[in-house]
Amino acid sequence: MAVYESTHSLVKHKISLLRDHNISIKAFRELAQEVSTMLTMEATRDLPLENKPLTCWSGDISTPFFAGKQPTLVPILRAGLGMLDGALKIVPCAKISVVGIQRNEETLAAESYYENVVSDVAERTAIIVDPMLATGGTAKSTMDLLKESGCKKILAVFLVAAPEGIAHIEQYHPDVDMYIGAIDSKLNDKGYILPGLGDAGDKIFGTL
Ligand code: URA
C-alpha cells in the first residue's frame, strides 16, 4: 500500500483554512471541493494508458488515452458527496457508485444502509472519496463491498486522516493506495480526528 500525504503548498494552506473554527458553511464546502480536485489529480496520475491512433493537425499519430473504461468515483454517504464535484473536475466522465455506510456513534462500528455500485465495477478503477479517515471502519467496509462486487483496483482520497485509520486500512486492504491532504495526530475517545476538521458531514450539510 502506498500512503501519499500531499506536499502541495496550496493543499496545506486550504486544509489550514478548513480547520478554522469560525469557517462558514460556504467556505467549508468550497474548500473541501477544491482540495478534492487537487488530491484527485494526484490519485489519478498513474491510471493506465494505451496508445491509440489519432489524426491531428500535422497528420496521423499514436497518442496515449485512458486504457479501458473510465474510473468510478465512490462517495461514501453522506460526507463524501461534499468531495464529489471537486473530484469530477478531474474525471468528468467517471461513473458514480454510491455507498452509504455510517458509523454507530456508540460502538463506532461501520453499518451499511445503501449500496449502488456500477454493474461493471470489475472493469474500472474505483476512487473512494470521503473527507475523514478516522477509525477506518467506514472506508474498510466500503473496500470490502467494492471487492465483493468484483472491483480489482481501488484508490482512496481523504482530506484528513488519523494514523489509526491508516493502520486499519493497511491491515485489511494493503493493496489500496491512499491520497491524503493531511495526516493528523490521533483520534479522541469519540473517534474524532485531532486536530482534524470537526464533523465534516455536518459542516458540508449545514447540520451543525
Ligand atoms: N468524521 C468526521 O466528520 N470527523 C472526524 O474527525 C471523524 C469522523
Side-chain angles (χ1 to χ4, degrees):
M1 176 180 73
V3 178
Y4 171 85
E5 182 182 21
S6 180
T7 56
H8 198 296
S9 297
L10 279 178
V11 170
K12 290 177 185 289
H13 173 77
K14 288 172 192 288
I15 297 260
S16 295
L17 292 174
L18 281 165
R19 294 189 196 279
D20 187 335
H21 185 54
N22 294 314
I23 191 169
S24 68
I25 290 171
K26 178 174 182 289
F28 194 94
R29 284 179 182 149
E30 289 173 355
L31 286 161
Q33 298 285 3
E34 287 169 18
V35 177
S36 302
T37 301
M38 299 176 78
L39 294 176
T40 304
M41 178 74 122
E42 297 289 353
T44 51
R45 68 175 298 130
D46 291 325
L47 284 183
L49 297 170
E50 63 184 341
N51 276 0
K52 291 183 185 168
L54 183 84
T55 302
C56 74
W57 74 276
S58 57
D60 292 341
I61 59 170
S62 175
T63 191
F65 290 93
F66 266 143
K69 295 189 174 180
Q70 292 275 335
T72 179
L73 287 172
V74 188
I76 304 179
L77 295 178
R78 71 183 166 155
L81 293 179
M83 296 175 67
L84 184 58
D85 286 345
L88 278 170
K89 286 206 161 72
I90 300 299
V91 280
C93 298
K95 303 279 178 165
I96 297 168
S97 301
V98 177
V99 173
I101 307 238
Q102 65 188 4
R103 199 170 48 152
N104 182 312
E105 293 298 333
E106 283 172 14
T107 64
L108 303 184
E111 296 170 351
S112 164
Y113 63 91
Y114 183 76
E115 302 169 11
N116 196 340
V117 175
V118 291
S119 57
D120 56 357
V121 71
E123 299 163 65
R124 299 177 187 273
T125 297
I127 306 174
I128 295 171
V129 291
D130 197 13
M132 313 300 279
L133 178 67
T135 61
T138 303
K140 183 223 170 239
S141 296
T142 303
M143 292 167 194
D144 289 344
L145 191 154
L146 287 169
K147 287 184 181 176
E148 283 158 16
S149 304
C151 188
K152 297 180 192 73
K153 178 68 184 170
I154 303 174
L155 309 173
V157 178
F158 305 102
L159 302 183
V160 176
E164 295 91 330
I166 293 171
H168 194 65
I169 300 306
E170 199 164 32
Q171 181 181 354
Y172 290 99
H173 293 288
D175 55 320
V176 173
D177 295 335
M178 296 192 275
Y179 295 82
I180 299 166
I183 300 175
D184 276 8
S185 302
K186 59 178 180 179
L187 298 177
N188 70 10
D189 58 4
K190 292 192 161 45
Y192 281 84
I193 300 173
L194 298 177
L197 305 179
D199 192 313
D202 277 346
K203 290 185 175 174
I204 289 164
F205 284 86
T207 48
L208 291 164

